[in-house]
Every structure is written in structure tokens, then in C-alpha cells.
Amino acid sequence: MIASIANFLTEYLNKNNSSLSKNDVLKIQYSLQIILGDLTKSLVILSIFLFVGQLPLFFLIFIILNSTRPLMGGIHCKTFKSCLVFSIMYFLIILLFSIFSSGLNTYFSVFFFIISFIITFINAPCCNEKRPIKNKKILKILSLISLTFWCMLFFILRNTQLCNCIFLSLLIQITQLIIVNMKGVISNAKINENFFNFTN
């Protein structure tokens, strides 16, 4: 469905703009698929959180995700369906943990963030076959800045739910860095094959 809409819009633009090269058309088609896919996923997940009355947590998870993942990188699914399933699971797991988990031990939290900084410094940003990294140094610096911001906010806040949300969101992101950079599983395609074929 997403691909069909993107193809239709791309063909329309191509017919009405003769200056577009074949490469431009492919870039537009890919960008439209990403935009439409992300918009659809966001609306579906937003509807779920609206139904259960947890919009503040949705927006917090969404902000954390979009301030870390584009910088650090992560696991990518092969199809829109698998990406939608994974995204819904991602948001719901963090939601449930944020609501039902008790507060985290301070020493454990400090240890977690120290390890997170080390892993981010070593592994971020991780490669994506469809989006080659051209500015790795800048992305690494921005990744560390983003992690620092959420670390500071974690220790400043006194709300258990918000702190749990920040912790698990970052834990999942850091875990992806480890998985993507594991020896023999560097390629996202291999990760997709191992983890997401069940949704195809």
C-alpha cells in the first residue's frame, strides 16, 4: 500500500517535471516511502496510546527515539509490515515498563549510563546499507550530546514513570548498537533475516 502510493506520486512528479533524472526519481520514490511509512506508523501508535490514555508517554518515547536513533543508527526491517509490528512492540514494551516497574537503583543507573557512553563512543553511528555514513565524526559527537541530555534529565526528574521511560528507551537503543556491530552481524540485512522473517 505504502509502496503503491509512493510509486503513484513519483510517476506523477516524473510526468510533470521533465528535468528530473532517473536518479532523482529513485531518490524521491525512496524518500516518499520513508515519509509515508513513518507517518502511518506514528498515527497507528498514536491511536493506541490515545485509546489507553497515555499520550504524554507516547510523546516522550517518540522524542527520545527521534533524538537518538537517527544519530546512532539501529536495526532496520526489510518490510513495512515488519517495521510496523516491531515499532508497536517497541512502544508498548516501554509503556508497560514505565507504568509497572518500580524506581531504578541509583548505583545501577550510574553504571548503566557509564556503559552506555562507552558503547556509544565505540560503536555509534552504526552502518546502514541504504544510508551510507558520510559524517561519522559529527554523528558520534551528536550521539554523545543526545545521550548526555537524556542522562541529565534522568537524574533531574523525580517522576518514576518518566525515568523508567528514558531508561528503557535508551537501553533498547544501546542494545541495537551492540547487535548491529557484533562480529558476523554487521550487516542490517543479516539482522533482518534473523529477527524479522516471521512477519513477512
Side-chain angles (χ1 to χ4, degrees):
M1 183 64 178
I2 297 296
S4 299
I5 296 174
N7 291 339
F8 173 79
L9 293 174
T10 304
E11 288 178 9
Y12 177 81
L13 291 172
N14 190 29
K15 288 179 181 178
N16 291 275
N17 191 340
S18 58
S19 63
L20 292 175
S21 65
K22 185 177 180 179
N23 193 41
D24 291 332
V25 172
L26 291 174
K27 287 181 179 179
I28 291 172
Q29 184 180 32
Y30 177 75
S31 299
L32 284 173
Q33 287 181 357
I34 297 297
I35 293 170
L36 292 172
D38 287 347
L39 181 60
T40 303
K41 285 185 298 181
S42 297
L43 289 175
V44 170
I45 297 170
L46 175 62
S47 300
I48 295 173
F49 275 69
L50 183 62
F51 179 76
V52 298
Q54 292 292 342
L55 277 183
L57 280 178
F58 165 79
F59 287 115
L60 180 57
I61 300 169
F62 184 83
I63 292 170
I64 297 172
L65 177 66
N66 286 279
S67 65
T68 55
R69 183 178 172 82
L71 302 174
M72 300 181 186
I75 295 173
H76 293 271
C77 304
K78 291 170 70 175
T79 66
F80 172 75
K81 189 172 89 170
S82 60
C83 187
L84 178 61
V85 171
F86 181 81
S87 298
I88 293 174
M89 289 173 56
Y90 170 87
F91 273 79
L92 290 181
I93 289 170
I94 296 176
L95 171 65
L96 294 174
F97 179 84
S98 301
I99 294 175
F100 296 110
S101 179
S102 57
L104 298 167
N105 179 275
T106 302
Y107 294 108
F108 172 78
S109 301
V110 171
F111 176 76
F112 165 74
F113 279 105
I114 291 174
I115 296 299
S116 297
F117 275 105
I118 295 172
I119 292 172
T120 302
F121 179 77
I122 295 173
N123 294 325
C126 52
C127 298
N128 178 358
E129 292 179 339
K130 290 188 176 181
R131 298 177 184 175
I133 297 173
K134 297 180 180 179
N135 48 354
K136 186 173 182 178
K137 185 176 181 180
I138 294 175
L139 288 175
K140 185 182 292 291
I141 292 172
L142 292 176
S143 297
L144 291 170
I145 291 174
S146 176
L147 184 59
T148 301
F149 171 80
W150 291 113
C151 173
M152 293 173 60
L153 196 61
F154 176 89
F155 287 107
I156 291 173
L157 293 174
R158 291 294 178 263
N159 185 297
T160 301
Q161 285 191 8
L162 298 182
C163 289
N164 286 344
C165 181
I166 293 172
F167 166 76
L168 191 58
S169 296
L170 294 178
L171 175 61
I172 294 175
Q173 177 58 47
I174 297 301
T175 302
Q176 290 184 69
L177 288 182
I178 297 172
I179 293 173
V180 174
N181 286 280
M182 279 171 53
K183 184 177 180 180
V185 199
I186 295 176
S187 168
N188 280 340
K190 292 181 182 179
I191 297 173
N192 289 329
E193 183 179 351
N194 291 335
F195 287 89
F196 300 112
N197 277 341
F198 74 95
T199 60
N200 290 339

